[in-house]
Amino acid sequence: VASHLGLHHETLHFRPSDLPRVLDHMGQSLSEPITDGGYPAMWILSEQIAAQGFKVALSGDGADEHFGGYPTSFAHKIAPAASAARPLLSRVTASLPASTQNLSSTYLARRFVDGSHLPTPRRNQVWLGAFLPEEIQSLMKEPSEPWSAVDRWTETASTLPDPALQAMFLDQRLYLAEGVLQKVDRASMAHGLEVRSPFLDHLLVELASRLPTKSLWRGRSTKVLVRRMLADKLPADILKRPKKGFGTPLGSWLKGPCRPLLDELDSSLEAFLHPAPI
C-alpha cells in the first residue's frame, strides 16, 4: 500500500524477548486489566512512534464498527440454521486439531457453534469474547454475572431490524468503546502520544447510522461503501484482501520462548481466581 501511494513505510519488529518488558510496563500504567492480545503490539508501536518525536498519530479505529467491517455479519445470518444442527456440529468441531494461530479457523468454527443457538446479542459476545460465560463463572471466586454488560444493551439493540445491525450496534458500545479505544488510549498515552480517530467524528458516525445495509454488506463482502470509495486509490488485491486483525502471537510465544511467564501464575492470581482451572 505504501509503495502504491508513494508513502514512506517503516517496519517495526516485536520479538518474544520484548514481551516481559512490555508486560511489566503495562502492569505499572494500566488502571484496570485489559486482556487484548493486541495491546502489547500497540504499546511497542506507540513507543517507537513517540521515540521518533511524533506527538499525534492517526488511527482507523471505528471504521469496522460503523461501516460493517466484521465477518460476523454473515455468520449471524446463517446461525439460526446452524443452531438446529448444533449437536452434530459440536462433535465435528471438537475433533478439529487445536491451533495457536491468531483466530484460527478451528477456533472460529468452535465459537460459531458455541454461540449459534443464543439470541443475537449473547451470540455476538460469545463470538467476540475470550472466555465462555461458564468458564468465567468457574474461574471467579466471587459470584459473577457474565451476561450483565451485554444484556444491558439488548433492549435497545433489538429495535434494529437486522441481526447484523444489532451486532454492529453492540460492537460499537462494547468492543469499540470498552476494548479497542481503551487499549489504544492507554498504550499511546503511556508514551505521551495522542491518537486521533477520524472515523469517530460524530457527523460521520451519524451518517453511517443512516446507511442502508446494502452499503455495509453484500453477500459475504464487508465494508462495501468504504471499498467503493477507495476503488481508484488502492490495488485490487488490497481491496479484496480478507480482514486481518492487529494481534500478537501470544499462543505460540507462551508455549515457547515466553513459557517462564506462566510459572507460578496460578499462585499469583489465587487471591482473585480459582487456581485449579488456571
Side-chain angles (χ1 to χ4, degrees):
V1 172
S3 176
H4 182 81
L5 298 177
L7 304 174
H8 172 70
H9 180 66
E10 186 167 341
T11 301
L12 306 178
H13 295 280
F14 185 6
R15 297 176 175 84
S17 56
D18 295 321
L19 187 59
R21 177 178 71 89
V22 175
L23 292 177
D24 184 54
H25 281 284
M26 284 171 56
Q28 297 175 34
S29 60
L30 286 179
S31 55
E32 61 179 298
I34 296 179
T35 55
D36 187 319
Y39 188 99
M42 182 60 66
W43 197 95
I44 285 274
L45 177 61
S46 299
E47 179 186 52
Q48 295 298 317
I49 293 172
Q52 295 191 23
F54 294 100
K55 293 297 183 183
V56 180
L58 296 182
S59 161
D61 291 329
D64 286 320
E65 290 82 6
H66 299 306
F67 290 93
Y70 292 124
T72 47
S73 58
F74 177 76
H76 280 293
K77 296 182 187 300
I78 63 173
S83 176
R86 185 166 169 261
L88 173 62
L89 293 174
S90 295
R91 290 195 295 272
V92 171
T93 55
S95 67
L96 298 174
S99 170
T100 56
Q101 179 189 0
N102 185 35
L103 291 179
S104 67
S105 55
T106 297
Y107 173 83
L108 293 176
R110 287 176 178 164
R111 276 308 167 90
F112 172 76
V113 174
D114 287 336
S116 61
H117 67 296
L118 297 171
T120 300
R122 291 191 173 194
R123 179 168 69 219
N124 197 62
Q125 183 59 34
V126 165
W127 292 347
L128 180 70
F131 290 94
L132 296 172
E134 57 269 25
E135 293 172 330
I136 295 174
Q137 290 173 318
S138 71
L139 283 168
M140 301 295 290
K141 286 194 169 184
E142 299 293 330
S144 64
E145 298 180 12
W147 290 120
S148 59
V150 177
D151 291 345
R152 189 169 65 245
W153 291 104
T154 295
E155 184 177 352
T156 309
S158 64
T159 62
L160 296 167
D162 186 285
L165 289 175
Q166 295 176 25
M168 194 165 73
F169 172 88
L170 293 162
D171 287 341
Q172 293 165 1
R173 271 69 186 175
L174 296 170
Y175 182 55
L176 178 65
E178 301 288 345
V180 173
L181 297 182
Q182 281 209 63
K183 170 187 71 177
V184 174
D185 180 66
R186 304 299 193 273
S188 60
M189 291 308 295
H191 303 285
L193 176 71
E194 294 196 31
V195 175
R196 309 283 171 81
S197 302
F199 280 106
L200 298 182
D201 180 275
H202 72 97
L203 295 176
L204 192 63
V205 173
E206 290 168 8
L207 171 65
S209 70
R210 297 193 296 269
L211 290 173
T213 54
K214 65 181 181 181
S215 297
L216 306 172
W217 309 286
R218 193 161 298 171
R220 297 191 66 174
S221 181
T222 59
K223 261 189 198 164
V224 171
L225 182 61
V226 176
R227 293 179 197 272
R228 287 184 61 187
M229 287 166 55
L230 297 173
D232 62 342
K233 296 179 174 63
L234 293 175
D237 60 330
I238 295 297
L239 287 169
K240 296 177 180 178
R241 191 182 73 157
K243 181 167 178 54
K244 175 70 176 71
F246 185 64
T248 312
L250 293 177
S252 56
W253 285 5
L254 291 173
K255 294 187 79 169
C258 298
R259 180 67 181 81
L261 289 173
L262 299 180
D263 292 343
E264 301 179 359
L265 178 66
D266 52 352
S267 59
S268 64
L269 293 176
E270 66 181 352
F272 311 99
L273 306 172
H274 289 299
I278 299 174

